[in-house]
């Protein structure tokens, strides 16, 4: 495992993969042919999600933009087709704050999802957990029938280091009195890594031709920061060398999703297109299994309520 330091982050010097913090999504996927791949991009209507969808389409993948705002999703599709008329792009309505159907939220005030679950945990983790489970059988079938490796990429964050004591508040997931918008976000991002690691383990045990990894895109000023825009602008003023533009922010996701170097690589965490160590909690196998069971229980409970 290689540690990517602050020096390489600021300078953009490439790591062992040949890429670094200054690399863009187009650069890390250059000469990659994704014409036999269908990619579902949650939150693909704006920001790094849109850039991810655009570059995957540029590499000839059939891209499905899954988003809550259909007007924005169709506008994104139009922009991609304008850039590359040969692109294959569809849109799908998807609201991840409810298991009945915004790819993510960050630092939002305390609120509950449509299913009565703390919003950041519900949207950033539980919605994606459920969506992945719904798609998993089809992915297994397709990977087996075609021989093409399936890849699942969870968008996490370095913020997973800053969470509640113990990592996940299983018994207090909806507790208002001790709610912290920053720790709740970190909790949801820790859950993304734990989910990826546990799913990776399960798929390996089955012998499925699917890899699961998680990534930190970097610091990018996007609409995701709408609940803390002033704080983020102040932070950016004092730490501007650490921030990325959108093409750079989409690079790690596109690298992990498409690059042939990562064939068979699973259960890893990437920063700046290089493998990177996580927090100790993120490697806790017992915690990952407990989260898996807890997430299934919440999904099943919500499904029964919505019948």
């Amino acid at each position: 495992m290689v540690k990517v330091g602050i020096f390489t982050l600021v300078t953009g010097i490439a790591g062992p993969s040949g890429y670094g913090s200054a690399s863009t999504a187009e650069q890390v996927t250059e000469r990659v042919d994704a014409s036999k791949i269908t990619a579902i991009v949650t939150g693909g209507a704006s920001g790094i999600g849109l850039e991810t969808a655009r570059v995957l389409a540029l590499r000839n993948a059939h891209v499905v933009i899954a988003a809550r705002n259909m007007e924005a999703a169709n506008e994104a599709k139009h922009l991609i087709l304008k850039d590359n008329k040969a692109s294959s792009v569809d849109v799908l309505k998807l609201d991840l704050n409810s298991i009945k159907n915004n790819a993510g939220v960050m630092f939002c005030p305390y609120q509950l999802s449509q299913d009565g679950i703390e919003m950041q945990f519900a949207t950033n983790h539980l919605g994606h957990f459920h969506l992945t489970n719904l798609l998993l059988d089809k992915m297994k079938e397709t990977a087996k029938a075609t021989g093409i490796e399936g890849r699942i990429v969870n968008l996490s964050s370095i913020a997973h280091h800053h969470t509640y004591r113990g990592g996940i508040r299983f018994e207090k997931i909806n507790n208002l009195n001790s709610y912290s918008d920053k720790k709740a976000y970190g909790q949801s991002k820790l859950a993304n890594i734990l989910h990826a690691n546990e799913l990776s383990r399960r798929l390996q045990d089955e012998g499925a031709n699917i890899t699961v990894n998680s990534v930190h895109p970097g610091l990018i000023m996007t609409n995701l920061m709408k609940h803390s825009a002033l704080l983020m602008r102040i932070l950016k003023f004092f730490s501007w060398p650490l921030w990325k533009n959108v093409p750079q922010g989409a690079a790690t996701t596109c690298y992990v999703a498409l690059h042939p170097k990562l064939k068979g690589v699973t259960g890893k965490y990437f920063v700046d297109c290089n493998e990177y160590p996580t927090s100790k909690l993120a490697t806790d196998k017992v915690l990952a299994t407990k989260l898996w069971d807890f997430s299934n229980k919440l999904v099943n409970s919500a499904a029964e309520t919505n019948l």
Side-chain angles (χ1 to χ4, degrees), residues 61-133:
H62 171 213
V63 174
V64 179
I65 297 174
R68 179 179 59 183
N69 186 328
M70 290 302 288
E71 182 179 349
N74 280 300
E75 183 177 342
K77 176 181 177 179
H78 174 74
L79 288 172
I80 293 172
L81 291 174
K82 184 178 180 180
D83 181 58
N84 179 14
K85 292 181 180 180
S87 296
S88 174
V89 184
D90 288 316
V91 297
L92 172 70
K93 184 173 179 60
L94 179 71
D95 189 348
L96 288 170
N97 76 31
S98 171
I99 67 143
K100 291 184 295 185
N101 189 8
N102 194 343
V105 290
M106 180 179 186
F107 300 166
C108 66
Y110 179 86
Q111 54 187 302
L112 299 179
S113 70
Q114 293 180 39
D115 301 308
I117 302 164
E118 188 275 310
M119 183 63 80
Q120 296 196 76
F121 186 82
T123 305
N124 296 343
H125 164 63
L126 200 61
H128 290 87
F129 174 86
H130 183 50
L131 175 63
T132 302
N133 282 348

Side-chain angles (χ1 to χ4, degrees), residues 121-195:
F121 186 82
T123 305
N124 296 343
H125 164 63
L126 200 61
H128 290 87
F129 174 86
H130 183 50
L131 175 63
T132 302
N133 282 348
L134 291 174
L135 295 170
L136 207 50
D137 284 343
K138 177 57 68 175
M139 287 190 70
K140 291 176 185 177
E141 292 171 8
T142 302
K144 185 175 181 179
T146 64
I148 299 173
E149 180 182 80
R151 295 188 182 183
I152 298 170
V153 184
N154 278 4
L155 196 68
S156 182
S157 169
I158 198 170
H160 80 272
H161 287 271
H162 183 63
T163 183
Y164 297 108
R165 181 185 295 272
I168 308 293
R169 300 200 307 175
F170 295 106
E171 306 303 324
K172 297 182 178 180
I173 201 69
N174 288 343
N175 189 282
L176 170 60
N177 295 331
S178 57
Y179 177 77
S180 162
D181 57 353
K182 309 300 186 296
K183 289 183 179 180
Y185 180 71
Q187 173 181 244
S188 70
K189 296 289 99 180
L190 172 62
N192 292 149
I193 300 177
L194 291 170
H195 170 222

Side-chain angles (χ1 to χ4, degrees), residues 108 119 215 226 246 259 263 273 281:
C108 66
M119 183 63 80
V215 303
K226 62 184 178 181
V246 170
H259 207 284
K263 180 176 175 60
C273 300
L281 284 170

